[in-house]
Amino acid sequence: MIDVIQIIIESPFLQRAILGAILIAIIAAASGTFLVFRGLSFMASGVAHAALGGTALGIFLQDSGLVPWFDPILGALLFSVLVAAFTGYAGESGIAQKMEVAVGVSFALSMSFAVFLMYYIPPYRVPQIWGYLIGDILLLNNLDIIMLGSTTLLLAVITLMFNKEFVYVSVDMEGSTAHGMNARAYHYLMLIVSALAIALATKAVGAILVYAIMVAPAAASNELVKS
């Protein structure tokens, strides 16, 4: 046990990995719960895969010299927000099925866009795009931890402030509107913040695993509460 602690103390990348795992667990608990309530479990997978398109765009802009400062993670966040906004627009009527369709369309378009840009990206950088599918928590850098921490803090504050509103909108959007709530604003806020959290978690654990992390615990707890 002492040897393990010593290894962790002497290995900054392990410290970042452990801290990243803790932050992702907090993010998943907050975001996943509302996504399951809202009937949008597929959004976790859709946003995570949409991040590939944003990453490809960021790498393309860097290597082409068009926007040298544009980091791939910014592209991933941008695409995630766009998917969330498109999904929110489709679901303003409160019908979850329309949002699922919007996520599916965004999923396909983003992946297609990523594959298209790969033709114009140097081959040695293409694995960086596919890396978002698998992820590697041991490769998190200080900037990733700062962004994860900031997003976790933002998500925690927003969740604590608007927890009742989010639950009401998730369960009955039309009813919340009828009671005078600005359901549309809470609807978009919940989706966009969740999308940012998913995009950042994707870099650490990958688009495949982030879906399980976001959905499985929330779905299991939902069933336990019902029982």
Side-chain angles (χ1 to χ4, degrees):
M1 183 64 181
I2 297 177
D3 292 338
V4 173
I5 296 175
Q6 184 67 27
I7 292 173
I8 294 174
I9 293 175
E10 295 175 353
S11 306
F13 71 94
L14 285 179
Q15 296 170 16
R16 290 192 294 268
I18 293 172
L19 182 56
I22 294 172
L23 293 174
I24 290 170
I26 298 172
I27 285 174
S31 297
T33 302
F34 291 118
L35 291 179
V36 171
F37 278 162
R38 195 74 179 87
L40 277 175
S41 57
F42 183 50
M43 180 177 165
S45 179
V47 169
H49 284 80
L52 270 71
T55 303
L57 177 62
I59 294 174
F60 172 76
L61 292 176
Q62 274 188 343
D63 287 344
S64 64
L66 294 174
V67 189
W69 53 266
F70 195 85
D71 193 274
I73 189 63
L74 296 178
L77 294 175
L78 174 63
F79 267 56
S80 299
V81 170
L82 290 176
V83 170
F86 181 51
T87 303
Y89 177 76
E92 285 188 3
S93 61
I95 301 175
Q97 288 82 354
K98 289 185 177 181
M99 291 190 287
E100 292 283 1
V101 172
V103 172
V105 172
S106 303
F107 182 117
L109 288 176
S110 299
M111 290 291 291
S112 301
F113 185 66
V115 173
F116 171 75
L117 286 181
M118 285 179 191
Y119 181 79
Y120 300 97
I121 293 174
Y124 70 90
R125 298 207 67 182
V126 171
Q128 185 178 351
I129 301 173
W130 292 121
Y132 268 74
L133 277 177
I134 308 300
D136 193 338
I137 199 168
L138 294 177
L139 295 181
L140 292 177
N141 54 39
N142 291 331
L143 178 60
D144 295 329
I145 295 298
I146 292 173
M147 295 180 70
L148 266 174
S150 301
T151 304
T152 303
L153 179 61
L154 176 65
L155 184 61
V157 171
I158 291 177
T159 301
L160 291 173
M161 289 178 62
F162 305 115
N163 181 60
K164 293 181 180 179
E165 289 83 355
F166 284 168
V167 172
Y168 199 178
V169 170
S170 299
V171 175
D172 186 5
M173 189 168 180
E174 292 182 356
S176 60
T177 303
H179 277 80
M181 284 178 54
N182 190 351
R184 188 168 178 263
Y186 291 120
H187 171 68
Y188 277 101
L189 179 62
M190 178 175 60
L191 293 180
I192 290 174
V193 174
S194 296
L196 291 175
I198 293 169
L200 290 172
T202 299
K203 184 176 182 181
V205 299
I208 299 173
L209 185 57
V210 75
Y211 179 71
I213 292 175
M214 289 285 177
V215 175
S221 62
N222 190 38
E223 291 300 319
L224 288 174
V225 170
K226 285 182 179 179
S227 61

